[in-house]
Amino acid sequence: MTNLIIGYARQRADWVADPGEAWLGRVIGALLVVALSLCVCGAASAQRRHDDSFGRPGGYLSLGAGGATESFQLDPLDIDLGSALTVGGRLGYRASPFVAVEAAVDYTASAFNSRFAAPGGLGEVETRTVIGTANVKLYPGGWRVQPFAIGGAGAVYAMVDCRLNGAIVGCGQAGTSSSEAVFAGRVGGGLDIYLSQNVALTGEVTYVMPTGNLGDFRFVTYGGQLLVRF
């Protein structure tokens, strides 16, 4: 993870490099192939639909808030980073009743935070993240209530501050804070509920899978947003 956590993780006798990067790339590649196929096959059907269809082609923007909860364990420290408040948005394009593509950004407005006993006193780790992914969303149709599956890839940027007895210290390197940016995958699902032809409430739950030095820093995001079609 950060230099602090990386140091502990690499001291573990059973530590190995993250094996998930290869299969993660294959899964995301397969999703993109399926999405492109659906775009082509669904384009004619979408054109035949009325302009007021809930699955009509067109752009959208959504903004909202939610949370993120860790889904990992940092042995041997047994550090629990708990949950964080997130804010974010999506800018996308509905290509057909069956497929949408979007750029998604989420930021942890309140940080993951953990306190633990450390040599010399009370240690504290505070972590903020920016998650940016390009997603493909697959729908069964263009109804008023639309479930969807989501898969994507992008990056996670983590900013970590370490403290000892309230004073900022280096995260494994004296006098500095740590930051790291790595490739990440994202999978999950959600539901769009249209209030009108142009406005919907959308909720989603996703599993975010960083790789590399942040390979242990996996977490679940969840939340709701107000979506506007244009």
Side-chain angles (χ1 to χ4, degrees), residues 61-65 87-91 105 200-202 224-228:
L61 173 69
S62 66
L63 298 172
V87 294
R90 312 284 186 265
L91 179 63
V105 176
L201 296 177
T202 181
Q225 300 194 353
L226 180 66
L227 182 148
V228 178

Side-chain angles (χ1 to χ4, degrees), residues 147-171:
F148 60 83
I150 185 171
V156 170
Y157 179 62
M159 300 154 285
V160 182
D161 287 322
C162 301
R163 293 179 175 85
L164 181 62
N165 297 326
I168 294 179
V169 297
C171 297

Side-chain angles (χ1 to χ4, degrees), residues 47-222:
Q47 290 174 357
R48 289 194 297 268
R49 289 175 176 263
H50 297 297
D51 289 340
D52 61 353
S53 167
F54 296 113
R56 69 188 185 278
Y60 65 87
L61 173 69
S62 66
L63 298 172
T69 300
E70 64 160 323
S71 63
F72 57 90
Q73 184 176 3
L74 295 175
D75 296 324
L77 295 180
D78 194 25
I79 295 177
D80 180 5
L81 294 183
S83 299
L85 172 68
T86 64
V87 294
R90 312 284 186 265
L91 179 63
Y93 182 78
R94 187 73 175 259
S96 80
F98 311 106
V99 179
V101 292
E102 66 181 18
V105 176
D106 293 296
Y107 172 66
T108 52
S110 68
F112 293 99
N113 189 277
S114 178
R115 291 183 174 87
F116 55 93
L122 178 65
E124 182 178 2
V125 177
E126 183 178 273
T127 306
R128 295 182 185 273
T129 61
V130 178
I131 309 162
T133 56
N135 301 328
V136 174
K137 298 171 73 173
L138 304 180
Y139 293 87
W143 313 314
R144 180 178 288 272
V145 178
Q146 304 176 27
F148 60 83
I150 185 171
V156 170
Y157 179 62
M159 300 154 285
V160 182
D161 287 322
C162 301
R163 293 179 175 85
L164 181 62
N165 297 326
I168 294 179
V169 297
C171 297
Q173 186 174 349
T176 64
S177 296
S178 297
S179 63
E180 190 85 28
V182 298
F183 172 81
R186 186 178 219 169
V187 294
L191 190 69
D192 291 346
I193 302 175
Y194 277 82
L195 306 179
S196 71
Q197 299 294 339
N198 298 312
V199 178
L201 296 177
T202 181
E204 67 176 37
V205 178
T206 69
Y207 185 48
V208 180
M209 300 167 287
T211 61
N213 288 336
L214 298 180
D216 288 333
F217 190 40
R218 301 190 172 194
F219 50 95
V220 175
T221 67
Y222 44 89

